[in-house]
Amino acid sequence: MSVARLVLDAAYAVAPVPRRLFGSFVEHLGRCVYTGIYEPDHPSADADGLRTDVLELTRELGPTVVRYPGGNFVSNYRWEDGIGPRDQRPTRLDLAWHSIETNQFGLHDFLSWTKKIGTEPMMAVNLGTRGLQEACDLIEYANHPGGTSLSDRRIANGAADPFGVKLWCLGNEMDGPWQVGHKTATEYGRLANETGKAMRLVDGDIELVACGSSNSSMPTFGAWESEVLEHCYDTVDYISLHAYYEEDGDDALSFLASAVNMDRFIESVVATADAARARLGRQKRINLSFDEWNVWYTRRFSGDGPQPAGIPWEKHPRLIEDDYTVTDAVVVGTLLNSLLRHGDRVTVACQAQLVNVIGLLRSEPSGEAWKQTIAYPFEQVRRLARGQILQVVGASDLFDSATYTDVPLVDATATYDAESGRAALFVANRSLTETARLEVDLRGIGGTSVLAATTLHAGAGQDRHATNAVQHDAVVPVRFDDHTVRGGRLTATLPALSWTVFELHTSR
């Protein structure tokens, strides 16, 4: 049995928990929108054509921000196509995902949906095939009160009040050769700066995200961020990061150590942004928007880059519909821990995507909707992480994998909310076969009792590949009782390959 000994102390806080850390992503890709959140003929559809079964599950997940409409999709998207009467909206070719886009769901529809679930929209503008003027037109249409051609057009389309969208992405993955309108760092940095400046002339109260590297293995990683920020540091508030992880063959241990890569990725981008700050002599600090992250089995997706090869043009084809396992849920828990550990700089994050396409949720046309295994860690951390992120001090037994060395078998983060007297501890046991003994000194937060504890792991008759694909509640967190608190110390025996969450009462 491995051992992890940890200490929690309210005096060692990293930062307040950023509420935008628990975001999601809706892109016009596969069945995320159509038969995902929007299906007018579904038995549960409301008057706006939205699936209320998916609405209810989304409310339970509680994403605090949702990015839209892409993703790769945005780089040849005309936002005007998705407004006005549906029978007058044009059908287009979506070059990013080799699909037919009907535009039956667009800007007003998405923003109405965000209000129904109580989340903040995060909009992206097309800097692939379009540019500065179209971005200014979109923000004027969306945010200007009225009295201009574009804002009056919004009013005529049924939205008397401005949408007031505050968070905007300046394009998507513009470093990627697969991107429609791919640019060099210099080209993109100049365009992002000029577009951002012009958008701020329309609405001075917005926040802007510049495209960072599409992943940390890009050949231009680091140099891209440095060059882009050289041009637009004064204009933007965030630089973006994207990362997806998957199990390669039978190398489960490297997969379980994915958060080590995420930690390094974040810390490298922070260092690059701070180097730009020093070089430019600025006071302002650039934060990070990790606005695409998840487990994604890319090797199952055919084609060179995002465009599927050899398939016909179809409306909302089934693309990238991974069924997630117990193992995937544990990895997602550790990725959430990584984001939380770095919450002083990563202040926006979006788990991609919400429905069907590498989704937290799944749905079937005219059928049911359900939560995938990876939805549960997201929902728990979003709900329980309150107050301050704590620096978790201590040590765990380590392991080596084919890719990583000295990886903690037990990965943990914690938060403490002095106002409510509650703390939360999020713990993953990465061992495939062995239980782990957890010892936590809670005296620094006045920890006196466990209010509730759950664990997600392979139950009786299951293995680490169990999913919710057939029986929709096959893999869920269950009550966890193998713990004690005495003298301000928590001890527990964590199941092998598990994600365990403790809700703690404190006396401070």
Side-chain angles (χ1 to χ4, degrees), residues 427-488:
V427 189
N429 178 8
R430 290 171 161 135
S431 174
L432 290 166
T433 57
E434 300 294 329
T435 59
R437 179 175 175 82
L438 177 67
E439 301 174 0
V440 188
D441 187 337
L442 303 174
R443 291 174 295 176
I445 58 170
T448 58
S449 62
V450 174
L451 296 172
T454 62
T455 191
L456 186 153
H457 69 293
Q462 296 178 325
D463 62 20
R464 71 182 188 90
H465 301 293
T467 73
N468 288 341
V470 178
Q471 182 183 341
H472 300 337
D473 60 353
V475 181
V476 298
V478 297
R479 178 171 168 169
F480 178 65
D481 292 321
D482 197 356
H483 59 80
T484 60
V485 176
R486 293 192 182 93

Side-chain angles (χ1 to χ4, degrees), residues 24 42 57 92 105 133 152 170 235-236 240 314 334 378 428 444:
S24 190
H42 192 272
L57 291 174
R92 304 281 192 190
F105 189 92
Q133 185 59 62
D152 286 348
L170 295 168
T235 301
V236 303
S240 73
E314 297 178 8
T334 65
F378 176 91

Side-chain angles (χ1 to χ4, degrees), residues 1-8 337 392-397 408-414 424-430 434-442 450 452-455 480 482-486 488-496 498-504:
M1 182 186 298
S2 63
V3 177
R5 297 181 175 90
L6 311 176
V7 178
L8 306 185
N337 279 350
V392 178
V393 179
S396 164
D397 288 348
L409 275 162
V410 172
D411 179 69
T413 56
L425 177 63
F426 308 103
V427 189
N429 178 8
R430 290 171 161 135
E434 300 294 329
T435 59
R437 179 175 175 82
L438 177 67
E439 301 174 0
V440 188
D441 187 337
L442 303 174
V450 174
T454 62
T455 191
F480 178 65
D482 197 356
H483 59 80
T484 60
V485 176
R486 293 192 182 93
R489 298 177 186 274
L490 166 69
T491 59
T493 302
L494 305 174
S498 62
W499 166 256
T500 304
V501 176
F502 297 92
E503 301 175 56
L504 304 167

Side-chain angles (χ1 to χ4, degrees), residues 35 39 41-44 51 53-54 362-370 472:
T35 72
E39 188 179 352
D41 296 330
H42 192 272
S44 77
R51 286 185 58 153
D53 57 347
V54 174
R362 287 290 298 274
S363 68
E364 282 299 313
S366 302
E368 295 181 277
W370 65 95
H472 300 337

